[in-house]
Amino acid sequence: MVAEMQTGKKTVLELLGNEKASFHIPSYQRPYAWGVDECETLWDDICSFAVPDNSPDGFLSGSEYFLGSIVTFKQAESTVYEVIDGQQRLITLMLLLRVLYSRLEHMNNKDNVQLRNKIEEAIWKVDEFGQPQVGEAKLRSSVASDDDLEELGSILGPGSVDDAMTSRYADNYRFFQVAVDDYIYIYPNYFKYLVDRLLRNVILLPIESEDRDSALRIFSTLNNRGLPLSDSDIFKAAMYEHYRNQGRAEEFDGRWKEIERRLAGPLLAEDSPMTELFRLYMGYLRGLSYAGSTNRPAVRDFFNRDHNAVLKEERTLNDLEDLVDFWNRYEGEEGFSDPVLKDFFVLRFAPNTLWQDAVSNYYLTNRNEDGRLDQDVFHDYLQRLIAFLYGAVAAGATSTWERREIDKEAGFLAGRTDWSPLKGRITEHDMRSALNALGPWKRINKGILAWWMMSNANQEPIALGTEFDVEHIYARKRHQNRPGEITDEQLESLGNKSLLEKRINIRSADYDFSDKRAIYRGSAAGKPGTDVRELLDLADGNDDFTSHEIDARTAEIRESFLRFLEQAGVVIPGK
């Protein structure tokens, strides 16, 4: 049976003035996000529309200003409309109307009294006799992740805002207060036209469904057509509905809010961290059912299959919680062995983010009942992953090729295939040739330097948040001032480069090695030294660093990296 859906444009007064209707923003929605910039744009547009060229006579009768659509679901046996999409404009409109109402309270001529009564119809609930219940707003929000709902209630109800309020609701309400007061001061005789045309000529398109699933499908369709809604919003709505049907809506609200609160690590680097979490989880699930295809579907298409079947599984929310916990511990460097922390440091400098997919797949496949991993086995896996990702890029592999191989690896981890794509991909001859031809501009160089730094047995783990630059041990300035001591190729070779803390690199970039020794050690002007063990050893064991040391170190890095790739099984030795 196809659910009934009603559409048709309505004025602000027609939509909000329905005395029996009220609006509820459910807890699975995103928090209110509009700021002063959006409010200013809306205010300017309405003023220009209602009073063109600052003259009410320029307004054409019958003109309309389209504000946007609002998707709602009418709750059973109720006059409450659940807002599926459109909360940003609806809340903002209510804030503006509340300011207009407060100003009209002090204007007692006939026209303004009538306008005040009209706004009462739009913003207040009514009693059984149809009389407005002043202070009881028609709009209510219970967004689980919104910590500012009390302020919204205070603003829409009593119409009060104080300096202690810091929410977007309060900021936007203050903006409208100032904007309206300025308008009244400059154009006192035009104010009533502005309010009347806002109520009667500003148009919204309500899309009303009597079935929540239909409303959510409309919500999804609108998002596909470019409205700024994320995939995770769609997933949240579907999961909320599932848990609500089980009588567990409050439980879901709390767990989802906690996931959002604890998002950490590389997830936060994305525009939509929650959607990135689902994308990583998709990779794991695809591995469980791997059958040879490496064509990745869109995240929304994957989770919307079979009427959101995966989203309704009990394990889904549990797995998402575990995955967030893992990346939260990664961010805090909590519960990992020193070798694993050193591996994480190296992966920070990977030429792409595919390592996060692989690590998420490995974690979800191999965690124990407490959500932890065997650290020795995990370290062995990370070593193979680093060898594969860095070796493949050094040999010229593209990100697209690596992505397909990581997808195959997810199938291997899940037991769907007997062969790991991380092993035996490149011959020793080809890898040696690739390393010899590796130009200084290649993106993999910084990653190889990170690997070299952490391959030192005496190197301690370094906090993941520490910023590093590439240090030229033999300084560029020295090369400019003393041409002929080393070649341009030696200057930019791996053997003349190291990672160095950014705070130190700024000070040491142009110094001779004799001066750099003191900076590396930290004995210069009381400044702290580096935590890079190799640079400390160079400072203690070398009076200078010239062409001989550069060539020897370049050869050592290349040969050691090649042996590492062989030990990890990525390079086939002797071929």
Side-chain angles (χ1 to χ4, degrees), residues 187-207:
Y187 306 111
N189 296 325
Y190 300 169
F191 180 63
K192 65 180 181 182
Y193 297 102
L194 176 70
V195 177
D196 183 66
R197 290 163 187 174
L198 167 61
L199 293 172
R200 299 179 185 275
N201 296 86
V202 172
I203 302 297
L204 296 113
L205 180 65
I207 304 173

Side-chain angles (χ1 to χ4, degrees), residues 536-557:
L536 292 172
D537 292 341
L538 286 175
D540 290 337
N542 294 66
D543 294 327
D544 203 353
F545 193 82
T546 58
S547 61
H548 174 74
E549 286 80 14
I550 291 172
D551 289 343
R553 187 168 175 268
T554 297
E556 186 180 9
I557 292 174

Side-chain angles (χ1 to χ4, degrees), residues 165-408:
M165 293 183 176
T166 59
S167 66
R168 288 180 180 270
Y169 308 118
D171 289 343
N172 294 346
Y173 191 76
R174 292 188 190 100
F175 164 78
F176 283 130
Q177 284 181 316
V178 173
V180 170
D181 287 345
D182 286 348
Y183 194 92
I184 294 172
Y185 178 78
I186 299 172
Y187 306 111
N189 296 325
Y190 300 169
F191 180 63
K192 65 180 181 182
Y193 297 102
L194 176 70
V195 177
D196 183 66
R197 290 163 187 174
L198 167 61
L199 293 172
R200 299 179 185 275
N201 296 86
V202 172
I203 302 297
L204 296 113
L205 180 65
I207 304 173
E208 303 168 11
S209 175
E210 294 186 355
D211 176 88
R212 184 183 274 104
D213 287 339
S214 297
L216 291 173
R217 282 195 294 272
I218 296 167
F219 177 77
S220 177
T221 300
L222 289 173
N223 190 34
N224 276 329
R225 293 181 181 175
L227 295 187
L229 308 171
S230 70
D231 290 344
S232 61
D233 294 322
I234 308 295
F235 305 152
K236 181 181 179 183
M239 294 176 75
Y240 174 85
E241 176 66 7
H242 170 68
Y243 278 84
R244 188 191 67 83
N245 289 338
Q246 294 183 339
R248 300 166 63 195
E250 186 174 348
E251 173 197 338
F252 173 78
D253 289 341
R255 292 172 70 182
W256 184 278
K257 183 177 181 180
E258 183 64 10
I259 288 175
E260 290 184 321
R261 186 188 70 82
R262 301 190 73 234
L263 284 170
L267 298 169
L268 291 180
E270 303 297 325
D271 292 337
S272 178
M274 284 297 292
T275 297
E276 175 65 6
L277 177 66
F278 276 93
R279 190 193 67 78
L280 292 175
Y281 186 50
M282 178 184 74
Y284 162 69
L285 294 178
R286 291 184 69 238
L288 294 179
S289 59
Y290 178 75
S293 174
T294 57
N295 294 322
R296 286 191 184 184
V299 177
R300 189 184 311 167
D301 292 341
F302 178 85
F303 284 103
N304 283 348
R305 288 174 179 172
D306 301 322
H307 305 289
N308 307 312
V310 171
L311 298 175
K312 297 174 183 177
E313 293 181 11
E314 189 71 23
R315 69 171 183 178
T316 295
L317 195 56
N318 295 331
D319 286 347
L320 293 174
E321 289 171 329
D322 277 359
L323 191 53
V324 164
D325 179 68
F326 173 83
W327 286 115
N328 197 273
R329 287 187 290 110
Y330 161 89
E331 184 80 357
E333 303 175 44
E334 172 194 343
F336 296 107
S337 67
D338 282 356
V340 167
L341 289 175
K342 292 170 71 171
D343 293 333
F344 282 154
F345 180 89
V346 176
L347 287 167
R348 275 185 56 203
F349 298 92
N352 54 53
T353 61
L354 287 170
W355 70 272
Q356 298 164 20
D357 297 63
V359 168
S360 295
N361 295 339
Y362 181 90
Y363 167 72
L364 289 170
T365 304
N366 293 278
R367 64 198 149 148
N368 61 23
E369 292 182 358
D370 296 324
R372 297 296 193 266
L373 295 169
D374 182 303
Q375 293 297 289
D376 291 337
V377 179
F378 188 33
H379 168 58
D380 289 342
Y381 177 76
L382 292 177
Q383 288 280 289
R384 295 197 304 274
L385 179 63
I386 291 168
F388 169 75
L389 291 174
Y390 286 32
V393 172
T398 65
S399 296
T400 300
W401 182 86
E402 283 192 309
R403 178 185 60 75
R404 289 198 296 264
E405 300 308 299
I406 292 299
D407 285 349
K408 294 176 185 177

Side-chain angles (χ1 to χ4, degrees), residues 67-102:
L67 187 56
S69 61
I70 295 179
V71 181
T72 61
F73 158 72
K74 187 178 181 183
Q75 298 176 358
E77 300 180 0
S78 170
T79 58
V80 176
Y81 288 86
E82 191 172 289
V83 179
I84 305 297
D85 182 43
Q87 68 145 317
Q88 308 295 328
R89 61 182 63 92
L90 185 58
I91 290 178
T92 305
L93 184 59
M94 282 291 194
L95 293 173
L96 173 57
L97 289 174
R98 187 63 182 86
V99 171
L100 296 175
Y101 179 82
S102 68

